[in-house]
């Protein structure tokens, strides 16, 4: 384990990289012995000093391909904060981020608290009020996405924002393992997959999350949003891109990216 001084130094590096949009070298370059536990401590250090409340969690590395690439046999997780919530009705400034990408996910909206270390898939289904279509905006404050497992964990599992579509479907009305999802950039299909790309069943990912965060004294609460992992590959987001994700049985969700020039022009038109 790194000591508190080193933890603070690494947390400051990530905070400053996000604030200044100035990617940094991998943390493991200077601290090659950095562990997953160290990285979660760094993540939590930065979460605690942000003023926005926690509104949920996300699961990362939920596909076998990503786990094999990282050399791990389980997912990781990050926090979702209120100020990370995006709108379908307002373009996101792509220039706020270092290397923005989007992923399509089946969101879980919890109606009840989940149990902790004994949480099962049945518990997840019983506590879930609804599924919803979502897009997660991911970003890396590590230069060129040259991330190891500790790097992405420390960097809040590379999470930067999320948007949730309007439709809500109770678990009894749809099989969470068989939801097909397609991502469009304008009129071009850029990614497609199914919800069972997430550990074979996204419910499995949420149960894993509940058990894992319980080790740190955290519970997944009623009202929380859980993003269990991507149905398909991540796609780069550029200024001017307009994304639409369609989910079988769940409807759609949109996310557009502007830039400072287009936003300034829009503000100018609004004052006329």
């Amino acid at each position: 384990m790194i000591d508190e001084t080193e933890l603070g130094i690494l947390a400051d590096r990530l905070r400053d990289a996000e604030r200044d949009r100035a990617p940094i070298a991998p943390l493991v370059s200077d601290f090659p012995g950095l562990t997953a536990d160290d990285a979660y401590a760094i993540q939590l250090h930065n979460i605690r000093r942000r003023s926005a409340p926690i509104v949920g969690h996300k699961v990362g590395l939920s596909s076998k391909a990503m786990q094999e690439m990282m050399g791990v046999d389980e997912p990781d997780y990050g926090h979702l904060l209120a100020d990370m919530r995006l709108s379908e009705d307002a373009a996101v400034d792509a220039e706020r981020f270092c290397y923005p990408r989007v992923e399509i996910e089946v969101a879980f909206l919890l109606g009840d608290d989940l149990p902790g270390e004994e949480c099962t898939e049945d518990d997840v289904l019983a506590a879930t009020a609804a599924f919803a279509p979502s897009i997660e905006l991911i970003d890396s404050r590590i230069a060129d996405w040259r991330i190891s497992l500790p790097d992405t964990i420390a960097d809040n599992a590379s999470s930067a924002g999320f948007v949730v579509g309007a439709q809500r479907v109770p678990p009894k009305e749809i099989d969470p393992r068989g939801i097909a999802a397609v991502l469009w950039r304008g009129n071009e299909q850029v990614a497609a997959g199914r919800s069972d790309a997430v550990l074979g069943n996204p419910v499995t990912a949420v149960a894993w999350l509940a058990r894992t965060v319980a080790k740190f004294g955290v519970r997944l609460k009623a009202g929380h949003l859980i993003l269990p992992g991507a149905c398909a590959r991540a796609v780069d987001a550029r200024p001017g891109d307009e994304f639409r994700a369609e989910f079988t049985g769940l409807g759609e969700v949109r996310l557009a990216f502007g830039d400072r020039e287009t936003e300034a022009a829009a503000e100018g038109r609004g004052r006329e």
Side-chain angles (χ1 to χ4, degrees):
M1 293 286 289
I2 61 175
D3 62 33
E4 287 296 318
T5 299
E6 293 168 330
L7 184 153
I9 290 171
L10 294 180
D12 286 348
R13 287 185 189 178
L14 287 169
R15 178 201 58 189
D16 295 349
E18 181 175 12
R19 180 194 63 202
D20 301 334
R21 192 179 172 267
I24 59 175
L27 303 183
V28 295
S29 297
D30 291 336
F31 292 84
L34 199 68
T35 67
D37 285 345
D38 294 331
Y40 279 121
I42 294 167
Q43 178 189 134
L44 191 57
H45 184 84
N46 277 334
I47 292 297
R48 283 173 172 164
R49 59 182 173 179
R50 289 175 64 166
S51 57
I54 295 169
V55 297
H57 289 80
K58 59 86 50 96
V59 179
L61 304 180
S62 56
S63 73
K64 290 299 181 184
M66 287 300 297
Q67 289 178 14
E68 289 172 2
M69 187 178 78
M70 287 291 183
V72 297
D73 58 5
E74 67 175 18
D76 68 352
Y77 74 86
H79 292 74
L80 302 177
L81 305 179
D83 61 4
M84 295 167 62
R85 192 185 301 274
L86 307 173
S87 171
E88 292 188 278
D89 301 322
V92 178
D93 179 6
E95 296 177 1
R96 285 172 45 197
F97 307 98
C98 299
Y99 310 104
R101 295 175 175 174
V102 296
E103 294 181 333
I104 46 179
E105 308 195 25
V106 175
F108 286 59
L109 305 175
L110 298 183
D112 293 299
D113 295 357
L114 282 175
E117 294 184 3
E118 304 302 320
C119 185
T120 67
E121 294 178 12
D122 286 342
D123 292 328
V124 172
L125 289 172
T128 299
F131 301 128
S134 72
I135 295 175
E136 183 184 6
L137 168 57
I138 62 172
D139 192 19
S140 181
R141 278 59 69 162
I142 304 297
D144 301 319
W145 281 97
R146 293 183 290 115
I147 53 175
S148 67
L149 179 66
D151 289 310
T152 186
I153 291 175
D155 195 19
N156 196 29
S158 302
S159 193
F162 61 92
V163 58
V164 180
Q167 190 155 335
R168 303 287 183 267
V169 178
K172 292 182 180 180
E173 295 183 10
I174 195 167
D175 182 354
R177 298 166 297 181
I179 300 170
V182 178
L183 180 66
W184 301 84
R185 178 194 281 132
N187 294 321
E188 177 190 7
Q189 180 179 314
V190 290
R194 276 181 26 133
S195 53
D196 57 1
V198 179
L199 299 182
N201 184 348
V203 176
T204 303
V206 178
W208 171 88
L209 176 65
R211 294 192 298 268
T212 301
V213 298
K215 300 173 186 176
F216 300 92
V218 176
R219 291 283 294 277
L220 305 185
K221 300 283 190 178
H224 276 183
L225 168 73
I226 309 298
L227 299 181
C231 299
R233 69 179 185 89
V235 175
D236 291 340
R238 309 160 304 194
D241 281 344
E242 294 185 358
F243 291 99
R244 182 180 81 260
E246 299 174 340
F247 296 77
T248 302
L250 280 187
E252 65 177 36
V253 58
R254 297 172 180 264
L255 184 62
F257 289 82
D259 55 35
R260 289 169 187 165
E261 290 183 2
T262 57
E263 288 185 359
E267 289 178 5
R269 289 192 298 271
R271 290 193 293 268
E272 292 175 356

